[in-house]
Amino acid sequence: MPTKAQAFRALHRGRESGDPLVLPGPWDAMSARAFADAGFPALATPSAGVAASLGHEDGATPAKEMFAAVARVARAVDIPVSADVEDGYGLPPKELVARILQTGAVGCNLEDTDGATKVLKDPRRHADWLAEVCAEAGEELFVNARVDTFLRGVSDPAEAALRIRLYVEAGAGCVYPISVPSAQLPLLREATDAPINVFASVASASDPSIAELGRLGATRITFGPGLQRRTQAAVADIARELYEKGPGRAKL
């Protein structure tokens, strides 16, 4: 019987165009169970969604709290979980991999923006660091290397393609050009045979569908904090409704 890590890696292989792997992003144990019960084969925690659930701004969650939150998610379900651990919190590769594996996660997102300065890291130095992480991870952890060029205002797809090639050569199992315009996705698909993760919006009906993103080159779809924010908005609606129905409210 394959391990969770092997099963998660296999989910990225042999996918038909138009049928990408869809990974909802749980922010706590309850949401993880809901997504697992719905039938999804794996989950991917979003750092921004987890941060919001813990009362932090995006990017401000202490590493200890993030790892503990991921552990609660992984413990709540029987399916593979991938963890967004931002830029690795400055941890050495050996310690970073050990701490991720201790949570029960079998995959991780690692971005190429410096968490302290919010500036893109040098791609070659970052690739060298990723190579150390991947060497430590072996087959136990599936690394998704986030490419932040579009997010940081670098619109030239050649820069994203360069980083993609470097990170795949370093051992990343998947690459994530976050905020890539859908029209440029086929250009990045030509740059690599590796799986490509693409962000999908849950708020705009005008954005490409999941199937269309798959046809453009996406292997895997995630939603960032979109699902947590949609849930938060629903809770806010319920709260307003309850408040308005409270004793004496109709007289105000």
Side-chain angles (χ1 to χ4, degrees), residues 45 47 66-67 70 83-89 96 100 107-111:
T45 65
S47 61
M66 184 63 76
F67 289 125
V70 172
D84 182 348
V85 291
E86 303 178 296
D87 73 336
Y89 307 111
L96 175 62
I100 295 171
C108 68
N109 273 19
L110 290 168
E111 60 194 51

Side-chain angles (χ1 to χ4, degrees), residues 63-153:
K64 183 178 180 180
E65 291 189 43
M66 184 63 76
F67 289 125
V70 172
R72 289 190 290 271
V73 167
R75 188 169 60 242
V77 296
D78 292 327
I79 58 177
V81 171
S82 183
D84 182 348
V85 291
E86 303 178 296
D87 73 336
Y89 307 111
L91 297 171
K94 185 174 183 177
E95 182 180 354
L96 175 62
V97 170
R99 292 186 70 175
I100 295 171
L101 291 175
Q102 285 169 5
T103 69
V106 296
C108 68
N109 273 19
L110 290 168
E111 60 194 51
D112 60 0
T113 291
D114 184 278
T117 65
K118 307 304 180 187
V119 173
L120 281 168
K121 297 180 180 181
D122 176 85
R124 288 175 174 80
R125 284 201 293 271
H126 185 61
D128 289 342
W129 178 79
L130 276 177
E132 293 183 54
V133 171
C134 292
E136 288 290 341
E139 294 296 309
E140 294 184 85
L141 193 66
F142 185 81
V143 176
N144 183 33
R146 204 176 87 174
V147 177
D148 286 3
T149 52
F150 298 104
L151 183 66
R152 299 299 168 193

Side-chain angles (χ1 to χ4, degrees), residues 190-216:
E190 292 176 3
T192 184
D193 292 328
I196 295 178
N197 188 141
V198 174
F199 169 86
S201 172
V202 296
S204 176
S206 62
D207 289 340
S209 67
I210 289 173
E212 179 61 20
L213 289 172
R215 287 189 287 271
L216 290 171

